[in-house]
Amino acid sequence: MQRTLSLEQSPPLGAVLRYFLATPVFALLAGALLLWQGAPALASRWSPSTLALTHLLTLGTLGMTMAGALIQILPVVAGLTLPRARSLAPGVHALLAGGVAALAAAFLFSRPWLFQLALVLLLPAFAWLIGALTLALWQMPPPGALPMTATVRLSLASLVVTVCLGALLAGTFAWPGAAAPLPLTLATDVHALWGVFGWAGMLLVGVSLQVVPMFQVTPLYDEPLPRVLGVTIFLLLVTWTVSATALRARLPWTEPLAGALLLAAYALFALATLRLLARRKRPQADAMTLFWRLAMASMLACAALWAAPAQLAGDGRALAMGVLILVGFLYSTINGMLYKIVPFLLWRDMQERAADGQRVPAIKTLIADQQAQRQFWMHAAALALLVAACWWPALLARPAAAAMCLSAGWLLLNLSTGLRRACGAMRCGAAPARVDANPALGRHGG
C-alpha cells in the first residue's frame, strides 16, 4: 500500500520546519529584488539582476523546500534512514541559506570574492546533502516506495550534474582569468536544463507519485507511468546534452527534437495529474488542489508556448517559459504542498509532546483553508503578471513584483499562524478540537 507511512522515523519538527519557513522568505526576497530593479530584471536572461532573481527562486525558494522535503519524506514515506539527520538538517540549511544570499549578491554586484564565498558555502552544503541522501537511497526501500525512490535517485544524479556545472560557471566569475571548459552560453543552458528538468522536475514527479494520492485522496497513477516516466526524462536529458554539446553542428535537428520530447514527457505527467485531481473523492477543491491545477496548467502552457511559431510568440517567449516552469509549475506545486505538509508536521509534533489525556487540535484548524485559498488567488495574479511582464517589462515588472511580495508574505503569515496556533494549544494544555483519526489518508484537508 503506497500510502503507508513510517511515522516513527519522522525527523524532529525543527529539523525540517526551518526549510519550509525559509521558502516564502526567499520568494519575498526575489519579489523585493524585482520591485527594486524593475524592467532590467526581465529584459534579458543574462542581466545581473535576472541571474540574481533566478537563483533566489531556484536555490532559495525551490531548493530550500526540496531539501527539507527529502529529509522529511524519505524516512516517512520510503522508510529510509538518513545518517546523522539531527546535524544534517540544520547544517545544510545554514550553509545553503548563506550560499544563496552570497550568490545572489555576487550576480547583482559582480564581485569575484562574493562568488568565492558562495562556492565555499554551497559546495559543502550540496556535498553533505547529496552524500547523506545517497547513503539513504542505497538502502532497499519498501516495495510500494520503489517508483518514488527510483525517480528520486535519478533526480539526485541530476543534482550532481547541476552542481558540478554550476561550480564551474561560478568559478569563471570567482577567478576571471581561469579558462572555461565549455562555452559560457552552452554551459549555462546545460546547467539550467539539468537543474530545472532534472533535479527539480524529476523530484517533483517522484514525490507526486506518493503525495497526490495520499493528500488528495485519488487513485494511484496508472501504470506504467510511475515506472517509466523518470527514466524517460533522464534519458531525454542525456540525449539533449549530447545533442547540444557534440551533435549541434552535424545533426542540428536532434537538439530541438530532444527538447520537444522532454516537454512532451512533462506535459503527459501534467495531464495524468489533472486526470487524477478530477477523480478525487472530495467534491470541493481545497487550496492544494487549486495550486496543483495551476501548476499542471502552467506546464501545459509552457509546452504550448514552445510549440508556438516564433513570430507569434515574440521576444518574451524564452523568459515566459522560464517563469511558467519556475513560478508556475514548480513553485505553485511547492506552495500547495506546504499547506498539507506543515500542518501535518505540527499535528504530529503535538501528538508526541501531548500529556496523557491532552487533546490536540485537528490539523485543518491550524491553517484555515479559506486563508490558503485567498493566498492562492494572489499567487495566481502574481504569476499572470509575471508572464505578461516578459513581453511588457517596463509596464508590468513592478506590479508583478508587488503581487509576488504580497503572495509570499501571505504564505509566510499563514505558515506562521499555524505554528503559533500549535504552540498556543500546547501551552494551554488542551484544545476544543478532536484528534484526527487518520491524517495519513488525507482526512485532515478541506
Side-chain angles (χ1 to χ4, degrees):
M1 184 65 178
Q2 285 193 332
R3 298 174 186 181
T4 301
L5 302 180
S6 303
L7 295 176
E8 68 282 355
Q9 298 198 55
S10 179
L13 175 65
V16 293
L17 191 60
R18 67 188 74 217
Y19 288 91
F20 300 143
L21 292 178
T23 296
V25 172
F26 277 102
L28 192 58
L29 289 174
L33 175 61
L34 181 57
L35 190 62
W36 172 35
Q37 293 290 308
L42 295 177
S44 167
R45 60 177 291 202
W46 303 109
S47 70
S49 53
T50 305
L51 291 170
L53 177 65
T54 300
H55 286 83
L56 282 174
L57 287 172
T58 53
L59 280 178
T61 304
L62 304 179
M64 279 291 182
T65 306
M66 291 187 290
L70 281 174
I71 294 172
Q72 173 66 37
I73 287 175
L74 285 182
V76 174
V77 175
L80 305 179
T81 303
L82 292 173
R84 301 185 181 275
R86 288 184 178 273
S87 58
L88 168 72
V92 170
H93 178 271
L95 291 170
L96 187 57
V100 172
L103 186 61
F107 280 119
L108 200 56
F109 302 111
S110 301
R111 296 289 187 268
W113 70 269
L114 284 172
F115 283 105
Q116 295 168 12
L117 176 61
L119 285 171
V120 168
L121 295 172
L122 289 175
L123 287 181
F126 282 114
W128 194 355
L129 179 65
I130 291 170
L133 294 176
T134 301
L135 290 175
L137 289 167
W138 194 262
Q139 306 167 39
M140 180 59 66
L146 281 174
M148 186 196 79
T149 53
T151 305
V152 171
R153 284 170 181 155
L154 293 175
S155 75
L156 195 62
S158 301
L159 177 60
V160 173
V161 176
T162 304
V163 170
C164 290
L165 288 171
L168 290 174
L169 289 167
T172 62
F173 294 106
W175 295 277
L182 289 174
L184 190 62
T185 302
L186 177 60
T188 303
D189 288 342
V190 178
H191 167 69
L193 189 84
W194 280 92
V196 174
F197 291 99
W199 156 238
M202 275 200 289
L203 181 59
L204 186 151
V205 170
V207 172
S208 300
L209 300 177
Q210 300 286 341
V211 169
V212 171
M214 182 189 304
F215 285 129
Q216 290 296 296
V217 197
T218 70
L220 302 178
Y221 282 87
D222 293 335
E223 293 289 349
L225 188 69
R227 291 186 289 104
V228 304
L229 184 59
V231 176
T232 300
I233 291 173
F234 188 84
L235 292 177
L236 287 172
L237 285 169
V238 173
T239 303
W240 187 96
T241 303
V242 172
S243 301
T245 55
L247 301 178
R248 180 176 286 179
R250 289 178 294 172
L251 300 172
W253 55 270
T254 58
E255 184 182 347
L257 177 60
L261 293 175
L262 184 62
L263 284 173
Y266 273 100
L268 178 63
F269 165 73
L271 289 171
T273 304
L274 287 172
R275 180 171 175 268
L276 282 189
L277 293 175
R279 298 167 62 193
R280 61 193 301 270
K281 295 182 180 179
R282 297 194 192 98
Q284 186 174 359
D286 60 7
M288 182 179 175
T289 311
L290 296 176
F291 275 106
W292 277 68
R293 286 174 179 170
L294 178 63
M296 300 307 119
S298 297
M299 184 67 251
L300 296 175
C302 178
L305 192 58
W306 185 90
Q311 299 85 350
L312 181 63
D315 295 335
R317 173 167 69 173
L319 204 57
M321 288 177 63
V323 170
L324 286 168
I325 288 291
L326 294 179
V327 182
F329 180 56
L330 296 172
Y331 180 47
S332 296
T333 307
I334 284 171
N335 197 326
M337 283 199 295
L338 287 176
Y339 282 126
K340 293 292 185 180
I341 294 175
V342 170
F344 176 78
L345 294 179
L346 293 172
W347 179 88
R348 175 68 181 170
D349 183 70
M350 285 189 294
Q351 269 203 327
E352 292 178 346
R353 294 191 293 116
D356 291 341
Q358 182 180 353
R359 300 164 66 195
V360 301
I363 295 179
K364 62 183 180 182
T365 65
L366 295 176
I367 300 178
D369 191 67
Q370 186 179 23
Q371 289 298 319
Q373 291 198 33
R374 288 173 180 170
Q375 190 260 321
F376 162 79
W377 292 111
M378 179 56 69
H379 170 78
L383 175 61
L385 287 170
L386 281 169
V387 172
C390 295
W391 284 278
W392 301 285
L395 180 64
L396 295 175
R398 284 194 168 91
M404 187 175 177
C405 288
L406 287 173
S407 175
W410 205 336
L411 173 60
L412 181 61
L413 176 63
N414 287 343
L415 298 180
S416 302
T417 299
L419 178 60
R420 187 174 65 251
R421 286 174 177 168
C423 293
M426 296 311 296
R427 281 197 303 268
C428 293
R434 61 173 175 82
V435 177
D436 286 4
N438 193 347
L441 297 184
R443 292 172 184 161
H444 57 280

